[in-house]
Amino acid sequence: MHALAVLFERPEHLSLAELALDAPGPADAVVETLWSGISTGTERLLWTGRMPPFPGMGYPLVPGYESVGEVVEAGPASGLAVGQRVFVPGARCFGPVRGLFGGAASRLVSEGARLVPIDADLREHGILIALAATAYHALHARPEGRSLIVGHGVLGRLLARLTRIAGGEPVVWETNPVRATGAQGYEVLHPDADETRDYGAITDVSGDAAILDTLIGRLRPGGEIVLAGFYEAPLSFAFPPAFLREARIRVAAQWRPEDLAAVLTLIEGGRLSLDGLITHREPAAHAPSAYRTAFGEPECLKMILDWRAAS
Protein backbone atom coordinates (compact mmCIF):
# COMPACT_ATOMS: atom_id res chain seq x y z
CA MET A 1 0.00 0.00 0.00
CA HIS A 2 1.32 3.43 -0.99
CA ALA A 3 0.42 7.08 -0.44
CA LEU A 4 1.27 10.40 -2.04
CA ALA A 5 2.91 12.48 0.67
CA VAL A 6 4.47 15.88 1.26
CA LEU A 7 8.16 15.20 1.80
CA PHE A 8 10.68 17.59 3.34
CA GLU A 9 13.81 16.08 1.81
CA ARG A 10 16.01 18.61 3.61
CA PRO A 11 15.55 22.22 4.69
CA GLU A 12 13.83 24.31 2.00
CA HIS A 13 13.43 21.31 -0.32
CA LEU A 14 9.87 20.03 -0.57
CA SER A 15 8.37 17.52 -2.96
CA LEU A 16 5.40 15.22 -3.39
CA ALA A 17 6.54 11.61 -3.22
CA GLU A 18 4.96 8.18 -3.48
CA LEU A 19 5.82 6.40 -0.23
CA ALA A 20 5.21 2.85 0.92
CA LEU A 21 3.02 2.57 4.02
CA ASP A 22 3.49 0.22 6.93
CA ALA A 23 1.03 -2.67 6.93
CA PRO A 24 -1.88 -2.05 9.32
CA GLY A 25 -2.30 -4.26 12.35
CA PRO A 26 -5.47 -5.37 14.16
CA ALA A 27 -5.53 -2.18 16.27
CA ASP A 28 -4.94 0.12 13.27
CA ALA A 29 -7.15 1.92 10.77
CA VAL A 30 -6.40 3.05 7.25
CA VAL A 31 -7.61 6.58 6.52
CA GLU A 32 -8.07 8.28 3.15
CA THR A 33 -7.14 11.89 3.79
CA LEU A 34 -9.59 14.55 2.65
CA TRP A 35 -7.89 17.73 3.92
CA SER A 36 -4.77 18.65 5.85
CA GLY A 37 -3.60 21.96 7.30
CA ILE A 38 -0.22 23.65 7.09
CA SER A 39 1.21 24.87 10.40
CA THR A 40 3.05 28.19 10.19
CA GLY A 41 4.75 27.47 13.52
CA THR A 42 6.44 24.08 13.78
CA GLU A 43 6.25 23.27 10.07
CA ARG A 44 7.89 26.57 9.16
CA LEU A 45 10.78 25.71 11.49
CA LEU A 46 11.08 22.27 9.90
CA TRP A 47 11.02 23.87 6.46
CA THR A 48 13.75 26.39 7.26
CA GLY A 49 15.86 23.88 9.21
CA ARG A 50 15.69 26.05 12.34
CA MET A 51 13.68 23.56 14.40
CA PRO A 52 15.41 23.12 17.78
CA PRO A 53 16.38 19.54 18.73
CA PHE A 54 13.11 17.67 19.10
CA PRO A 55 12.16 13.99 19.48
CA GLY A 56 11.81 12.40 16.05
CA MET A 57 13.70 15.18 14.23
CA GLY A 58 15.57 14.40 11.06
CA TYR A 59 15.16 14.42 7.29
CA PRO A 60 13.57 13.24 5.08
CA LEU A 61 10.26 13.67 6.90
CA VAL A 62 6.53 13.94 6.30
CA PRO A 63 5.06 16.94 8.18
CA GLY A 64 1.51 17.66 9.27
CA TYR A 65 -0.63 17.13 12.37
CA GLU A 66 -3.94 18.63 11.17
CA SER A 67 -5.66 16.08 8.94
CA VAL A 68 -9.25 15.00 8.38
CA GLY A 69 -10.14 11.82 6.54
CA GLU A 70 -12.42 8.83 6.20
CA VAL A 71 -11.75 5.36 7.55
CA VAL A 72 -11.50 2.88 4.65
CA GLU A 73 -10.13 -0.08 6.61
CA ALA A 74 -10.65 -0.76 10.30
CA GLY A 75 -8.85 -3.48 12.23
CA PRO A 76 -10.96 -5.57 14.61
CA ALA A 77 -9.26 -3.94 17.63
CA SER A 78 -9.21 -0.39 16.24
CA GLY A 79 -12.51 0.68 17.78
CA LEU A 80 -13.54 2.30 14.49
CA ALA A 81 -15.78 1.48 11.55
CA VAL A 82 -15.36 1.92 7.82
CA GLY A 83 -16.93 5.19 6.69
CA GLN A 84 -16.28 7.14 9.89
CA ARG A 85 -14.96 10.69 9.53
CA VAL A 86 -11.92 11.19 11.78
CA PHE A 87 -9.39 13.79 12.81
CA VAL A 88 -5.81 12.51 12.45
CA PRO A 89 -3.19 14.18 14.68
CA GLY A 90 -0.32 12.87 12.56
CA ALA A 91 0.95 9.38 11.81
CA ARG A 92 4.15 7.33 11.77
CA CYS A 93 3.55 4.91 8.95
CA PHE A 94 6.17 5.64 6.29
CA GLY A 95 8.85 3.07 7.11
CA PRO A 96 12.32 4.69 7.07
CA VAL A 97 10.89 8.14 6.29
CA ARG A 98 10.24 10.05 9.50
CA GLY A 99 6.71 11.09 10.31
CA LEU A 100 7.11 14.44 12.06
CA PHE A 101 4.27 14.80 12.34
CA GLY A 102 3.22 12.63 9.44
CA GLY A 103 -0.29 13.78 8.52
CA ALA A 104 0.29 15.40 5.10
CA ALA A 105 -0.37 12.37 2.90
CA SER A 106 -3.21 10.99 0.80
CA ARG A 107 -3.51 7.82 2.89
CA LEU A 108 -2.49 7.17 6.49
CA VAL A 109 -2.17 4.17 8.78
CA SER A 110 -2.66 4.90 12.47
CA GLU A 111 -3.62 3.25 15.70
CA GLY A 112 -7.36 3.58 16.04
CA ALA A 113 -6.94 4.92 19.57
CA ARG A 114 -5.16 8.02 18.17
CA LEU A 115 -7.95 8.90 15.76
CA VAL A 116 -10.81 11.15 16.84
CA PRO A 117 -14.27 10.63 15.31
CA ILE A 118 -15.79 13.95 14.27
CA ASP A 119 -19.00 15.17 12.69
CA ALA A 120 -18.81 15.00 8.90
CA ASP A 121 -20.57 18.37 8.75
CA LEU A 122 -17.34 20.01 9.96
CA ARG A 123 -15.76 19.21 6.57
CA GLU A 124 -12.38 20.95 6.18
CA HIS A 125 -12.92 22.97 9.36
CA GLY A 126 -12.16 19.75 11.24
CA ILE A 127 -8.44 20.36 10.68
CA LEU A 128 -8.71 23.31 13.10
CA ILE A 129 -9.58 21.24 16.16
CA ALA A 130 -5.88 20.64 16.91
CA LEU A 131 -5.27 24.39 17.22
CA ALA A 132 -8.52 24.83 19.12
CA ALA A 133 -7.43 22.17 21.61
CA THR A 134 -3.99 23.79 21.86
CA ALA A 135 -5.66 27.14 22.64
CA TYR A 136 -7.90 25.49 25.23
CA HIS A 137 -4.87 23.84 26.86
CA ALA A 138 -3.03 27.17 27.01
CA LEU A 139 -6.08 28.93 28.43
CA HIS A 140 -6.38 26.51 31.35
CA ALA A 141 -7.87 28.53 34.27
CA ARG A 142 -8.09 32.11 32.99
CA PRO A 143 -8.94 34.83 35.51
CA GLU A 144 -11.97 36.94 34.81
CA GLY A 145 -11.52 40.44 33.46
CA ARG A 146 -9.05 41.72 30.87
CA SER A 147 -6.24 39.49 29.68
CA LEU A 148 -3.72 39.93 26.88
CA ILE A 149 -3.02 37.68 23.91
CA VAL A 150 0.01 38.42 21.74
CA GLY A 151 -0.52 37.51 18.09
CA HIS A 152 -3.67 37.49 15.94
CA GLY A 153 -3.05 34.40 13.85
CA VAL A 154 -5.35 31.38 14.04
CA LEU A 155 -4.16 30.35 17.50
CA GLY A 156 -4.52 33.89 18.86
CA ARG A 157 -8.04 34.18 17.42
CA LEU A 158 -9.08 30.86 18.93
CA LEU A 159 -7.64 31.93 22.29
CA ALA A 160 -9.64 35.16 22.13
CA ARG A 161 -12.85 33.31 21.24
CA LEU A 162 -12.33 30.77 24.03
CA THR A 163 -11.53 33.54 26.52
CA ARG A 164 -14.83 35.22 25.69
CA ILE A 165 -16.68 31.92 26.10
CA ALA A 166 -15.06 31.58 29.54
CA GLY A 167 -16.34 35.05 30.52
CA GLY A 168 -13.09 36.97 30.12
CA GLU A 169 -12.28 40.13 28.17
CA PRO A 170 -9.40 39.46 25.78
CA VAL A 171 -7.21 42.14 24.25
CA VAL A 172 -5.01 41.07 21.34
CA TRP A 173 -1.75 42.65 20.23
CA GLU A 174 -0.91 42.54 16.53
CA THR A 175 1.81 44.56 14.79
CA ASN A 176 0.88 43.58 11.22
CA PRO A 177 -2.11 45.62 10.01
CA VAL A 178 -3.03 42.86 7.55
CA ARG A 179 -3.76 40.57 10.50
CA ALA A 180 -5.39 43.15 12.76
CA THR A 181 -8.84 42.63 11.23
CA GLY A 182 -11.36 39.87 11.84
CA ALA A 183 -11.92 40.25 15.60
CA GLN A 184 -15.15 38.83 16.97
CA GLY A 185 -16.13 40.89 19.99
CA TYR A 186 -12.68 41.86 21.28
CA GLU A 187 -10.05 44.56 20.74
CA VAL A 188 -7.02 44.16 18.50
CA LEU A 189 -4.36 46.78 19.20
CA HIS A 190 -0.84 47.63 18.16
CA PRO A 191 1.29 47.28 21.34
CA ASP A 192 2.17 50.98 21.17
CA ALA A 193 -1.53 51.86 21.40
CA ASP A 194 -2.09 49.85 24.60
CA GLU A 195 -1.41 51.68 27.86
CA THR A 196 -2.43 48.83 30.18
CA ARG A 197 0.22 47.86 32.72
CA ASP A 198 -1.74 45.53 34.98
CA TYR A 199 -2.76 42.45 33.02
CA GLY A 200 -3.35 39.47 35.26
CA ALA A 201 -2.67 37.03 32.43
CA ILE A 202 -0.73 37.32 29.19
CA THR A 203 -0.56 34.54 26.60
CA ASP A 204 2.12 34.80 23.93
CA VAL A 205 1.57 32.93 20.67
CA SER A 206 3.97 35.05 18.62
CA GLY A 207 7.00 32.78 18.98
CA ASP A 208 9.14 35.90 19.60
CA ALA A 209 11.94 34.79 21.94
CA ALA A 210 12.83 38.43 22.75
CA ILE A 211 9.41 39.47 24.04
CA LEU A 212 9.53 38.43 27.71
CA ASP A 213 10.82 41.71 29.13
CA THR A 214 8.06 43.63 27.36
CA LEU A 215 5.39 41.27 28.66
CA ILE A 216 6.70 41.28 32.23
CA GLY A 217 6.42 45.07 32.16
CA ARG A 218 2.69 44.74 31.42
CA LEU A 219 1.90 42.33 34.28
CA ARG A 220 0.24 43.16 37.55
CA PRO A 221 1.90 41.71 40.71
CA GLY A 222 1.45 37.95 40.80
CA GLY A 223 0.39 37.84 37.15
CA GLU A 224 1.10 34.97 34.80
CA ILE A 225 2.70 34.78 31.37
CA VAL A 226 1.82 31.70 29.31
CA LEU A 227 4.26 30.77 26.56
CA ALA A 228 2.06 29.08 23.96
CA GLY A 229 4.20 29.67 20.88
CA PHE A 230 7.15 27.59 19.71
CA TYR A 231 10.50 29.33 20.14
CA GLU A 232 13.57 28.60 18.04
CA ALA A 233 15.90 30.75 20.17
CA PRO A 234 16.61 30.57 23.92
CA LEU A 235 14.38 32.77 26.08
CA SER A 236 15.72 35.12 28.73
CA PHE A 237 14.48 38.04 30.81
CA ALA A 238 15.75 40.70 33.21
CA PHE A 239 15.25 39.41 36.73
CA PRO A 240 14.50 42.59 38.77
CA PRO A 241 11.18 43.51 37.06
CA ALA A 242 10.04 39.87 37.28
CA PHE A 243 11.11 39.77 40.93
CA LEU A 244 9.21 42.95 41.80
CA ARG A 245 6.04 41.56 40.23
CA GLU A 246 6.52 37.97 41.45
CA ALA A 247 5.81 37.05 37.85
CA ARG A 248 4.81 33.48 37.02
CA ILE A 249 5.83 31.98 33.68
CA ARG A 250 4.11 28.84 32.38
CA VAL A 251 4.84 26.83 29.26
CA ALA A 252 1.78 25.42 27.49
CA ALA A 253 2.68 22.38 25.44
CA GLN A 254 0.60 20.15 23.18
CA TRP A 255 -3.09 19.56 23.82
CA ARG A 256 -4.26 16.51 25.71
CA PRO A 257 -7.22 14.24 24.91
CA GLU A 258 -9.40 16.01 27.47
CA ASP A 259 -8.69 19.37 25.75
CA LEU A 260 -9.77 17.93 22.41
CA ALA A 261 -12.95 16.52 23.95
CA ALA A 262 -13.75 19.89 25.53
CA VAL A 263 -13.38 21.89 22.31
CA LEU A 264 -15.37 19.34 20.31
CA THR A 265 -18.20 19.81 22.79
CA LEU A 266 -17.99 23.59 22.34
CA ILE A 267 -17.87 23.31 18.54
CA GLU A 268 -20.68 20.78 18.26
CA GLY A 269 -22.78 22.84 20.67
CA GLY A 270 -22.38 25.92 18.49
CA ARG A 271 -20.48 27.90 21.13
CA LEU A 272 -17.05 27.95 19.47
CA SER A 273 -17.05 29.18 15.88
CA LEU A 274 -14.32 28.10 13.45
CA ASP A 275 -15.49 30.55 10.79
CA GLY A 276 -13.06 32.97 9.16
CA LEU A 277 -9.90 31.03 10.07
CA ILE A 278 -9.24 29.06 6.86
CA THR A 279 -8.26 31.68 4.30
CA HIS A 280 -6.50 29.66 1.59
CA ARG A 281 -7.12 26.31 -0.10
CA GLU A 282 -5.06 24.44 -2.70
CA PRO A 283 -5.17 20.97 -4.26
CA ALA A 284 -2.54 18.71 -2.72
CA ALA A 285 -0.82 18.58 -6.11
CA HIS A 286 0.06 22.27 -5.58
CA ALA A 287 1.72 21.61 -2.22
CA PRO A 288 5.08 23.29 -3.03
CA SER A 289 3.45 26.60 -3.90
CA ALA A 290 0.89 26.23 -1.09
CA TYR A 291 3.67 25.95 1.49
CA ARG A 292 5.39 29.04 0.10
CA THR A 293 2.12 30.96 0.39
CA ALA A 294 1.45 29.71 3.91
CA PHE A 295 4.91 30.71 5.12
CA GLY A 296 5.35 33.91 3.13
CA GLU A 297 2.04 35.80 2.92
CA PRO A 298 0.73 37.51 6.08
CA GLU A 299 -2.86 37.43 4.80
CA CYS A 300 -2.72 33.61 4.82
CA LEU A 301 -4.01 32.62 8.25
CA LYS A 302 -4.49 28.94 7.47
CA MET A 303 -3.74 27.07 4.25
CA ILE A 304 -5.31 23.68 3.69
CA LEU A 305 -4.41 21.04 1.15
CA ASP A 306 -7.29 19.21 -0.54
CA TRP A 307 -6.34 15.54 -1.01
CA ARG A 308 -9.59 14.33 -2.54
CA ALA A 309 -8.24 14.24 -6.08
CA ALA A 310 -5.10 12.43 -4.91
CA SER A 311 -6.85 9.47 -3.25
Side-chain angles (χ1 to χ4, degrees):
M1 186 161 49
H2 290 74
L4 186 67
V6 173
L7 186 66
F8 287 4
E9 301 171 50
R10 58 189 186 277
E12 299 190 13
H13 286 78
L14 178 155
S15 65
L16 283 170
E18 193 81 15
L19 300 179
L21 297 178
D22 299 338
D28 295 331
V30 180
V31 177
E32 294 284 355
T33 306
L34 300 172
W35 303 279
S36 65
I38 297 175
S39 164
T40 55
T42 51
E43 284 189 61
R44 188 201 298 266
L45 293 176
L46 292 169
W47 162 254
T48 60
R50 299 201 307 268
M51 184 77 162
F54 196 79
M57 258 300 293
Y59 298 89
L61 63 86
V62 178
Y65 57 86
E66 304 170 327
S67 299
V68 167
E70 185 172 299
V71 176
V72 293
E73 293 182 31
S78 69
L80 297 168
V82 171
Q84 275 188 289
R85 188 69 55 87
V86 291
F87 168 73
V88 187
R92 297 180 182 89
C93 58
F94 306 101
V97 176
R98 296 172 185 265
L100 192 73
F101 300 87
S106 63
R107 184 178 293 115
L108 301 164
V109 177
S110 174
E111 289 180 66
R114 281 178 50 82
L115 304 177
V116 182
I118 61 173
D119 192 326
D121 289 343
L122 278 176
R123 293 181 54 77
E124 68 266 35
H125 288 89
I127 64 104
L128 294 166
I129 66 175
L131 281 175
T134 300
Y136 188 91
H137 184 76
L139 190 66
H140 197 47
R142 258 300 154 257
E144 293 185 3
R146 284 165 61 88
S147 60
L148 176 63
I149 297 161
V150 183
H152 201 224
V154 175
L155 186 54
R157 292 168 197 241
L158 285 165
L159 272 163
R161 294 178 189 188
L162 287 166
T163 299
R164 292 196 70 230
I165 290 169
E169 301 174 29
V171 174
V172 179
W173 280 0
E174 178 55 61
T175 58
N176 191 325
V178 173
R179 292 203 165 195
T181 60
Q184 295 187 359
Y186 54 86
E187 285 186 284
V188 180
L189 302 173
H190 190 283
D192 295 343
D194 186 3
E195 298 181 356
T196 304
R197 295 291 188 275
D198 61 350
Y199 285 112
I202 300 174
T203 303
D204 177 57
V205 295
S206 71
D208 181 358
I211 202 170
L212 268 176
D213 284 331
T214 297
L215 301 186
I216 289 168
R218 298 300 188 114
L219 274 182
R220 72 183 181 207
E224 179 184 63
I225 294 171
V226 181
L227 301 174
F230 203 93
Y231 305 86
E232 62 178 280
L235 282 77
S236 63
F237 58 92
F239 184 73
F243 173 82
L244 291 171
R245 288 171 176 81
E246 289 192 302
R248 292 176 291 128
I249 298 175
R250 174 165 63 90
V251 175
Q254 185 178 337
W255 54 267
R256 296 176 181 171
E258 56 268 29
D259 303 314
L260 201 63
V263 297
L264 279 174
T265 298
L266 292 172
I267 293 165
E268 292 167 0
R271 299 187 64 199
L272 176 61
S273 170
L274 301 177
D275 293 343
L277 301 177
I278 295 173
T279 55
H280 290 64
R281 298 165 173 82
E282 289 287 351
H286 298 171
S289 62
Y291 271 82
R292 286 193 293 272
T293 297
F295 296 157
E297 297 186 11
E299 62 269 23
C300 182
L301 292 177
K302 174 60 68 176
M303 169 73 78
I304 64 165
L305 300 177
D306 187 334
W307 292 92
R308 289 173 293 177
S311 300

